[in-house]
């Protein structure tokens, strides 16, 4: 009970919900192919940690969320049947989740790319019997309004965003939930949450001394906010040393277990789908509707590489024109369309248009 006495928690916030994952930043910390390989390794490491903690108290049993489907499909395509069976087992048990965004996107995608970015959801459902009913986007502080409709169309019921507000801003409510109504009046439940490094950087999860010192400020702020109607603090947490493209944080299960044994304010692992179900079940009566675009306004990358951005945007248009021409040729059996090649081109365009712009060291060591 020590932390309650020292920090004057008033118990209005009575639990901390922690979503552990890695932030997908293809090409930021390593070459792209290495990043894809590492994300495959992280899945195996998370399954190891899930099995290792299966006898822990339920709140401390490790849970992992696969943030994006792009690297995850790389894992599935090279995985053995036993590896896939292992994943499915723990997925069905609610211990490992898959979110539905292909990557973390900028507004550069055209409509065809947005639609194609959700193709992996169908593959996961149809070919692997993996449930995908939530999505998440991190680092970017906006997402195209069209996704509110697209998510609803394909049965994604919940979306979280963990905004990086540097040179940008957050929409309201923050933190908080709203029903985001799309252009065609379809909608998706949204949680507009803390920065994806919140657990690691703002409140020092993994080190009880740091957390006791840092967490009270955020608890007190939420409790003093008359617009915050929830009895929890939800946050994401990544690896303490490699915050982007990093492995599962092995400290966290023991940290949560020890914390809950010594403090009244409890912590628990939760994956993104489970969090959406919790909001739907217990808080739907206080969630309001909001309608409008959610513009990302800190994407400096396109301006910093304007020639390449222009080249890629021309490719957007050329490829759409080629598809239209091919549809005419196919009527006369003259089509030589190569679906695999086209899919590869779309993947390359999308990897350019997602949010990573250069390596983490591009400013400090531009000639590296």
């Amino acid at each position: 009970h020590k932390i309650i006495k020292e920090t004057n928690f008033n118990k209005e916030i009575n639990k901390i919900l922690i979503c552990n994952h890695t932030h997908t930043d293809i090409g930021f910390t390593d070459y792209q192919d290495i990043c894809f390989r590492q994300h495959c390794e992280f899945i195996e490491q998370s399954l190891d940690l899930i099995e290792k903690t299966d006898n822990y108290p339920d709140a401390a049993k490790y849970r992992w969320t696969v943030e994006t489907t792009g690297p995850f499909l790389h894992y599935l395509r090279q995985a053995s049947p036993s590896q896939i069976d292992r994943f499915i087992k723990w997925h069905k048990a609610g211990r490992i989740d898959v979110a539905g965004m292909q990557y973390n996107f900028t507004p550069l995608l055209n409509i065809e790319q947005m639609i194609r970015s959700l193709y992996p959801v169908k593959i996961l459902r149809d070919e692997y019997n993996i449930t995908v009913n939530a999505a998440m986007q991190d680092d970017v502080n906006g997402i195209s309004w069209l996704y509110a409709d697209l998510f609803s169309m394909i049965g994604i019921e919940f979306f979280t965003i963990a905004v990086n507000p540097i040179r940008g801003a957050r929409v309201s409510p923050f933190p908080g939930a709203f029903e985001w109504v799309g252009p065609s009046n379809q909608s998706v439940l949204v949680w507009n949450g803390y920065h994806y490094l919140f657990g690691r950087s703002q409140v020092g999860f993994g080190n009880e001394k740091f957390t006791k010192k840092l967490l009270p400020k955020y608890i007190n702020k939420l409790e003093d906010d008359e617009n915050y109607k929830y009895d929890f603090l939800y946050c994401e947490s990544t690896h303490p040393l490699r915050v982007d493209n990093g492995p599962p944080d092995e400290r966290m299960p023991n940290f949560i277990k020890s914390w809950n044994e010594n403090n009244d304010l409890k912590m628990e692992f939760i994956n993104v789908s489970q969090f959406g179900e919790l909001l739907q079940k217990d808080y739907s009566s206080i969630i309001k509707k909001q309608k409008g675009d959610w513009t990302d306004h800190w994407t400096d990358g396109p301006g910093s590489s304007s020639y390449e951005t222009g080249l890629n945007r021309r490719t957007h248009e050329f490829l759409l024109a080629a598809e239209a021409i091919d549809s005419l040729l196919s009527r006369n059996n003259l089509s030589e369309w190569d679906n695999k090649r086209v899919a590869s081109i779309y993947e390359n365009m999308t990897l350019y248009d997602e949010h990573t712009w250069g390596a983490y060291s591009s400013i400090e060591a531009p000639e590296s």
Side-chain angles (χ1 to χ4, degrees):
H1 306 287
K2 188 177 180 183
I3 188 173
I4 304 299
K5 295 177 181 178
E6 285 184 350
T7 60
N8 195 31
F9 283 117
N10 61 23
K11 294 190 180 180
E12 291 181 11
I13 301 295
N14 57 39
K15 55 189 171 185
I16 311 294
L17 307 176
I18 303 170
C19 178
N20 212 199
H21 68 104
T22 186
H23 175 52
T24 310
D25 227 334
I26 303 299
F28 189 58
T29 54
D30 278 297
Y31 293 116
Q32 288 186 343
D33 57 342
I34 296 176
C35 288
F36 279 112
R37 188 197 73 205
Q38 290 169 338
H39 277 268
C40 295
E41 294 170 352
F42 299 156
I43 293 169
E44 289 294 307
Q45 293 167 17
S46 66
L47 291 170
D48 290 342
L49 198 52
I50 285 169
E51 292 175 347
K52 184 178 179 180
T53 60
D54 196 39
N55 63 347
Y56 278 37
D58 188 64
K61 290 182 177 180
Y62 193 67
R63 286 174 170 81
W64 175 261
T65 296
V66 179
E67 185 190 67
T68 53
T69 61
F72 182 51
L73 275 183
H74 280 253
Y75 169 79
L76 291 174
R77 296 307 194 200
Q78 66 184 30
S80 67
S82 62
Q83 286 176 307
I84 294 174
D85 289 345
R86 184 191 188 202
F87 182 94
I88 297 297
K89 171 188 173 181
W90 292 110
H91 173 65
K92 297 300 182 186
R95 300 283 294 282
I96 191 163
D97 197 15
V98 181
M101 289 288 285
Q102 186 184 18
Y103 302 103
N104 297 289
F105 287 136
T106 71
L108 288 176
L109 276 68
N110 63 22
I111 293 175
E112 178 71 12
Q113 283 176 288
M114 293 182 207
I115 293 170
R116 282 177 173 266
S117 76
L118 296 171
Y119 283 4
V121 174
K122 179 174 174 58
I123 294 171
L124 295 177
R125 290 169 174 169
D126 293 352
E127 295 185 22
Y128 297 97
N129 196 29
I130 291 173
T131 301
V132 184
N133 55 24
M136 59 195 297
Q137 171 138 307
D138 288 339
D139 206 9
V140 187
N141 62 12
I143 183 173
S144 172
W145 190 13
L146 188 60
Y147 273 103
D149 285 334
L150 294 177
F151 286 151
S152 179
M153 288 176 178
I154 67 169
I156 288 183
E157 302 168 347
F158 180 54
F159 172 68
T160 69
I161 191 164
V163 165
N164 182 345
I166 297 173
R167 301 183 308 283
R170 298 181 174 104
V171 300
S172 295
F174 168 80
F178 57 90
E179 184 182 349
W180 191 24
V181 181
S184 68
N185 288 320
Q186 300 190 71
S187 63
V188 62
L189 175 62
V190 170
W191 180 262
N192 182 31
Y194 290 116
H195 194 298
Y196 70 96
L197 299 183
F198 181 88
R200 177 263 186 192
S201 299
Q202 270 70 51
V203 293
F205 285 159
N207 185 310
E208 191 163 334
K209 177 182 177 181
F210 289 158
T211 301
K212 284 186 175 182
K213 180 180 179 180
L214 298 170
L215 181 60
K217 176 179 74 172
Y218 295 96
I219 296 294
N220 293 334
K221 185 176 182 179
L222 291 179
E223 291 177 340
D224 291 340
D225 184 352
E226 63 182 15
N227 295 314
Y228 191 81
K229 307 296 185 182
Y230 309 94
D231 61 356
F232 60 78
L233 182 156
Y234 169 83
C235 65
E236 298 176 11
S237 187
T238 64
H239 194 273
L241 297 180
R242 203 173 203 225
V243 299
D244 300 325
N245 302 317
D249 188 348
E250 294 186 351
R251 308 168 306 156
M252 288 301 292
N254 287 329
F255 170 73
I256 292 178
K257 182 174 180 290
S258 174
W259 177 277
N260 288 346
E261 291 170 351
N262 295 295
N263 298 282
D264 281 350
L265 181 65
K266 304 303 183 185
M267 297 184 179
E268 62 183 86
F269 283 118
I270 194 168
N271 61 43
V272 67
S273 296
Q274 292 166 341
F275 182 45
E277 292 168 2
L278 173 70
L279 286 174
Q280 289 277 17
K281 177 176 176 288
D282 295 340
Y283 303 96
S284 58
S285 62
I286 64 172
I287 295 174
K288 299 179 180 180
K289 293 184 178 182
Q290 294 189 183
K291 188 172 186 178
D293 193 22
W294 198 342
T295 307
D296 168 24
H297 46 279
W298 73 264
T299 306
D300 298 343
S304 71
S305 50
S306 56
Y307 171 78
E308 292 82 2
T309 300
L311 182 67
N312 198 40
R313 290 180 72 78
R314 285 199 298 273
T315 306
H316 292 181
E317 304 308 316
F318 289 153
L319 193 55
L320 285 173
E323 289 186 275
I325 292 170
D326 183 75
S327 68
L328 297 174
L329 293 175
S330 64
R331 295 181 181 181
N332 298 313
N333 297 318
L334 297 174
S335 174
E336 295 183 1
W337 197 248
D338 185 337
N339 288 329
K340 290 185 178 179
R341 184 185 180 205
V342 172
S344 176
I345 295 171
Y346 270 109
E347 173 74 354
N348 287 335
M349 288 197 306
T350 298
L351 281 172
Y352 183 87
D353 290 338
E354 66 89 52
H355 82 305
T356 310
W357 234 269
Y360 73 96
S361 57
S362 59
I363 304 302
E364 292 83 358
E367 304 301 325
S368 170

